[in-house]
Amino acid sequence: MTESLKILLLEDNPEDAEIVQRQLKRANFKCVVKVATNKETYLQALDEFNPAIILSDNHLPQFSAEEALIIIQRRSLLIPFILYILYISFNPPYKLP
């Protein structure tokens, strides 16, 4: 029996967290997702959840993905850290046909 992949999702927006979880389900990943919304819950999840991988939003209020990655490095944890951006604003200087 294959164990579920433990994913720590660092995301402050509940709707965005749902989008990421829906995409993981759609891709048929067998996983357990723990959502951390700030530094406190992130640190707690690192200590208690023991994730196999971390997915992180690029920007959270009062806490950044860069800071989250530095914490992983300082703890010498060998956990893959994937930074994602759900929305990219695109304002071209011209009109698209």
Side-chain angles (χ1 to χ4, degrees), residues 3 64 93:
E3 263 188 61
S64 69

Side-chain angles (χ1 to χ4, degrees), residues 67-91:
E67 189 177 355
L69 180 57
I70 289 169
I71 290 168
I72 296 297
Q73 293 171 334
R74 286 190 179 151
R75 290 184 174 200
S76 299
L77 298 174
L78 299 175
I79 303 171
F81 189 95
I82 299 173
L83 178 68
Y84 67 87
I85 301 171
L86 286 180
Y87 305 102
I88 299 175
S89 63
F90 180 66
N91 297 317

